[in-house]
């Protein structure tokens, strides 16, 4: 009988379940938004119980939509919002506090103290990360320091910590499994990416008891089975990856030098560096891409804070478009940017600048500038920021990028994708299936249970929907980039 793979795609704004067939095609999708909780400025939380209830709810909804029995599901793969931190009671399974979301900035001052104490080099060399409130380690420390009795409970081994993948698997197995995979572990500030173990020195610096931590597993293996009665029959849980690593795997960027960019509110660019662990000189993140059959692939990652959000600002802040989809036609109403450059540093600049004090700037305005020029400059800013990260990746890795695979909402904008190809000087490739995060989780699970035989088989399934080839000269590209970097220099905090 034909079987399917069930992918959990637990994201920041919603929980989704997608069922895939043997050809990697989507059979059905179910989705439910989750509540965003903002207790104070800069704080972002989720209800961990709602994460679970929404995710199991959409899984059952997806199965019901096409009348599948659980015996029709070969395995479950899980992709999750990374860095989001949950702590719960091992005996009752109840969270002690809301999940602290990756976007949360409450530990920024703690991170400043760690940097002032000279710990930056230790964390970069061991964890591959910059010290930032983005990651799980300081969030976990905050929970232990602020929940009454939590630290003493943790030291007695009564509590469990996990990122969202760990929490879902705990619930799926009714506490039988307390695990994570290497991709999620590598985003905690607590994991040594060289030894692939929790690191005693990093745990000591952050004062985290080892008893809290999940067991770290590969990204593709049979970890265990869903508990009796949850779905009707037990289903293998066989794949785990944080969302950006899952998307990279779903894009089948499996060789060193292959890269993907997800164009969402921000951008997440991941470059596969193969078995070479490359520490960055440009404040990029070194992370584990995945571990499969004992082989670990590494990656460099760069995050851009404002990408699609600049289009939302054109709509909501400036009011020059009514709907986000209108930006392409408005930007296309002019042949070029007319000398206008837009640096959308609304919340500072991310990689490779990491300037939290920079603020947005529009430069080069003249009496001839129109809303079309501003819209075009806004779209081009997404491509320029991507080019800056890719250039840093090239310098750090000494790898030549031969194409960039793209996904996310803004990847559907042909004008942006063509300009991205022009400014990078390499082809941009948009796949037929853009649900790459869920697809990556499905592939990881399917490989573990033999649903797909090999990485070569899934590579053969990947299909391009459209290619965008560079159309401008090398000299023209350098001239444009020089003007962009002048705009960046004017934007930077002095």
């Amino acid at each position: 009988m034909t079987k399917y793979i069930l992918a959990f795609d637990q994201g920041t704004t919603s929980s989704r379940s997608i069922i895939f067939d043997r050809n990697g095609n989507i059979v059905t999708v179910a989705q439910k938004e989750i509540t965003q909780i903002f207790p104070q400025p800069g704080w972002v939380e989720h209800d961990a119980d709602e994460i679970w209830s929404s995710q199991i709810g959409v899984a059952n909804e997806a199965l019901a939509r096409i009348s599948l029995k659980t015996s029709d599901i070969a395995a479950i793969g899980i992709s999750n919002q990374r860095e989001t931190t949950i702590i719960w009671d091992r005996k009752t399974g109840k969270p002690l506090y809301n999940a602290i979301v990756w976007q949360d900035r409450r530990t920024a001052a703690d991170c400043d103290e760690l940097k002032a104490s000279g710990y930056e080099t230790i964390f970069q060399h061991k964890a591959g990360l910059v010290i930032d409130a983005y990651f799980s380690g300081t969030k976990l420390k905050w929970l232990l320091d602020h929940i009454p009795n939590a630290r003493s409970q943790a030291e007695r081994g009564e509590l469990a910590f996990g990122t969202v993948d760990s929490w879902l698997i705990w619930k799926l197995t009714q506490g039988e499994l307390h695990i994570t995979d290497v991709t999620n572990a590598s985003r905690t500030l607590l994991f040594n990416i060289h030894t692939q173990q929790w690191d005693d020195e990093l745990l000591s610096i952050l004062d985290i008891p080892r008893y809290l931590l999940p067991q770290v597993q590969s990204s593709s293996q049979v970890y265990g089975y869903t508990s009796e009665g949850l779905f009707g029959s037990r289903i293998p849980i066989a794949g785990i990856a944080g969302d950006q690593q899952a998307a990279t795997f779903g894009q089948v960027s499996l060789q060193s030098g292959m890269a993907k960019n997800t164009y969402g509110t921000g951008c997440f660019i991941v470059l596969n560096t193969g078995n070479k662990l490359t520490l960055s000189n440009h404040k990029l993140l070194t992370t584990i891409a995945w571990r499969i059959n004992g082989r670990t692939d590494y990656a460099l990652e760069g995050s851009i804070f404002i990408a699609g959000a600049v289009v939302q600002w054109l709509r909501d802040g400036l009011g020059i478009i009514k709907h986000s989809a209108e930006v392409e036609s408005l930007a296309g109403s002019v042949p070029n940017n007319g000398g206008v450059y837009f640096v959308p540093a609304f919340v500072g600049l991310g990689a490779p600048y990491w300037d939290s004090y920079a603020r947005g700037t529009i430069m080069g305005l003249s009496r001839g500038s129109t809303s079309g020029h501003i819209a075009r400059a806004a779209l081009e800013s997404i491509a320029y920021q991507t080019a800056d990260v890719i250039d840093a990746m090239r310098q750090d890795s000494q790898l030549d990028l031969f194409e960039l695979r793209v996904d996310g909402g803004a990847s559907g904008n042909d004008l942006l994708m063509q300009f991205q190809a022009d400014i990078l000087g390499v082809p941009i490739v948009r796949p037929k299936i853009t649900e790459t995060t869920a697809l990556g989780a499905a592939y990881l699970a399917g490989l573990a249970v033999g649903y797909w035989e090999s990485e070569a088989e899934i590579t053969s399934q990947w299909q391009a929907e459209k290619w965008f080839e560079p159309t401008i000269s090398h000299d023209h590209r350098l001239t444009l980039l020089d003007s962009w970097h002048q705009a960046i220099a004017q934007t930077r905090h002095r």
Side-chain angles (χ1 to χ4, degrees):
M1 292 178 63
T2 301
K3 287 200 171 188
Y4 303 90
I5 299 291
L6 173 59
F8 287 8
D9 182 4
Q10 204 300 304
T12 310
T13 58
S14 70
S15 295
R16 300 197 304 159
S17 287
I18 303 181
I19 295 175
F20 292 92
D21 66 16
R22 288 187 188 275
N23 295 317
N25 293 320
I26 294 170
V27 178
T28 191
V29 181
Q31 178 171 343
K32 183 177 176 58
E33 289 191 4
I34 59 174
T35 307
Q36 308 297 308
I37 303 167
F38 306 103
Q40 296 183 28
W43 291 28
V44 189
E45 297 175 0
H46 291 158
D47 180 336
D49 284 326
E50 184 188 4
I51 289 175
W52 163 246
S53 62
S54 61
Q55 189 64 68
I56 196 67
V58 293
N60 281 308
E61 182 183 341
L63 292 168
R65 280 187 177 180
I66 52 174
S67 302
L68 287 183
K69 302 185 295 292
T70 49
S71 58
D72 295 321
I73 301 300
I76 292 172
I78 295 172
S79 167
N80 57 283
Q81 51 168 313
R82 301 175 304 175
E83 298 96 17
T84 295
T85 302
I86 306 170
I87 189 169
W88 65 92
D89 188 297
R90 289 182 183 272
K91 186 176 292 185
T92 66
K94 291 293 184 183
L96 272 65
Y97 191 87
N98 281 337
I100 301 182
V101 178
W102 60 273
Q103 299 162 314
D104 189 282
R105 303 302 298 173
R106 76 187 65 189
T107 64
D110 298 325
C111 292
D112 290 341
E113 288 182 16
L114 287 167
K115 287 184 277 191
S117 299
Y119 288 123
E120 274 188 290
T121 300
I122 293 171
F123 279 96
Q124 192 205 9
H125 284 182
K126 287 194 164 192
L129 307 175
V130 297
I131 296 175
D132 193 85
Y134 179 25
F135 303 107
S136 310
T138 58
K139 294 176 169 62
L140 178 54
K141 184 181 189 304
W142 186 94
L143 288 166
L144 293 175
D145 290 342
H146 289 82
I147 299 171
N149 303 316
R151 186 167 290 282
S152 59
Q153 284 182 278
E155 289 169 351
R156 292 195 299 268
E158 296 172 1
L159 303 182
F161 149 74
T163 42
V164 169
D165 58 310
S166 299
W167 171 241
L168 292 177
I169 292 171
W170 177 278
K171 299 293 284 185
L172 283 168
T173 62
Q174 293 190 343
E176 184 180 325
L177 292 178
H178 182 212
I179 63 171
T180 188
D181 89 302
V182 288
T183 70
N184 283 291
S186 71
R187 312 293 295 191
T188 61
L189 285 173
L190 308 174
F191 190 71
N192 188 315
I193 59 175
H194 303 268
T195 65
Q196 297 186 41
Q197 303 286 333
W198 300 117
D199 189 277
D200 287 330
E201 183 179 17
L202 302 182
L203 291 171
S204 176
I205 293 169
L206 291 176
D207 197 15
I208 304 295
R210 180 178 279 272
Y211 308 110
L212 277 168
L213 305 177
Q215 184 182 12
V216 182
Q217 306 274 21
S218 294
S219 309
S220 177
Q221 68 181 79
V222 177
Y223 313 105
Y225 296 80
T226 58
S227 63
E228 295 280 359
L230 192 60
F231 287 109
S233 62
R234 303 190 81 182
I235 304 172
I237 305 166
I240 310 170
D243 53 11
Q244 298 309 318
Q245 288 97 327
T248 307
F249 202 83
Q251 285 276 31
V252 201
S253 295
L254 306 183
Q255 298 176 21
S256 179
M258 297 183 75
K260 72 90 193 174
N261 190 13
T262 297
Y263 295 80
T265 301
C267 281
F268 290 92
I269 307 162
V270 179
L271 171 70
N272 185 336
T273 60
N275 60 10
K276 182 183 177 185
L277 190 160
T278 303
L279 295 177
S280 175
N281 294 316
H282 298 86
K283 294 189 176 180
L284 302 176
L285 307 178
T286 306
T287 197
I288 295 178
W290 44 75
R291 187 172 75 200
I292 302 172
N293 295 326
R295 186 198 83 232
T296 301
D297 283 357
Y298 294 90
L300 285 171
E301 181 176 322
S303 301
I304 295 166
F305 296 152
I306 300 294
V310 73
V311 178
Q312 295 170 344
W313 182 79
L314 296 180
R315 180 193 66 197
D316 303 333
L318 209 56
I320 60 174
I321 54 174
K322 290 184 178 179
H323 305 285
S324 295
E326 296 172 5
V327 70
E328 185 170 3
S329 59
L330 180 58
S333 67
V334 292
N336 53 54
N337 66 11
V340 177
Y341 289 83
F342 188 164
V343 182
F346 299 149
V347 290
L349 290 168
Y353 301 104
W354 293 103
D355 185 346
S356 60
Y357 300 102
R359 286 298 176 263
T361 305
I362 301 176
M363 299 186 62
L365 293 172
S366 68
R367 282 293 298 271
S369 300
T370 67
S371 58
H373 292 111
I374 293 173
R376 193 176 188 103
L379 284 184
E380 290 182 354
S381 75
I382 302 171
Y384 281 125
Q385 290 178 96
T386 298
D388 286 344
V389 172
I390 293 289
D391 183 57
M393 287 178 167
R394 283 168 163 159
Q395 292 182 55
D396 281 335
S397 68
Q398 299 298 302
L399 292 171
D400 285 327
L401 186 72
F402 51 87
E403 67 181 28
L404 180 66
R405 296 187 172 185
V406 299
D407 53 58
S411 69
N413 186 309
D414 285 2
L415 188 151
L416 170 58
M417 292 300 100
Q418 183 57 58
F419 188 74
Q420 186 71 83
D422 289 342
I423 210 65
L424 279 180
V426 298
I428 301 299
V429 193
R430 186 169 63 207
K432 283 189 175 180
I433 295 179
T434 56
E435 295 286 1
T436 54
T437 302
L439 181 58
Y443 277 153
L444 289 165
L447 286 169
V449 298
Y451 185 78
W452 290 291
E453 289 186 1
S454 66
E455 292 176 23
E457 182 182 356
I458 63 174
T459 298
S460 70
Q461 293 183 355
W462 188 89
Q463 296 180 65
E465 183 265 322
K466 191 167 184 177
W467 287 72
F468 299 86
E469 296 283 350
T471 58
I472 65 174
S473 69
H474 178 68
D475 287 346
H476 187 194
R477 182 179 304 118
L478 291 180
T479 299
L480 292 172
L481 284 167
D482 182 62
S483 297
W484 163 254
H485 290 134
Q486 289 179 44
I488 284 282
Q490 294 298 314
T491 304
R492 297 291 300 277
H493 177 72
R494 290 175 177 74

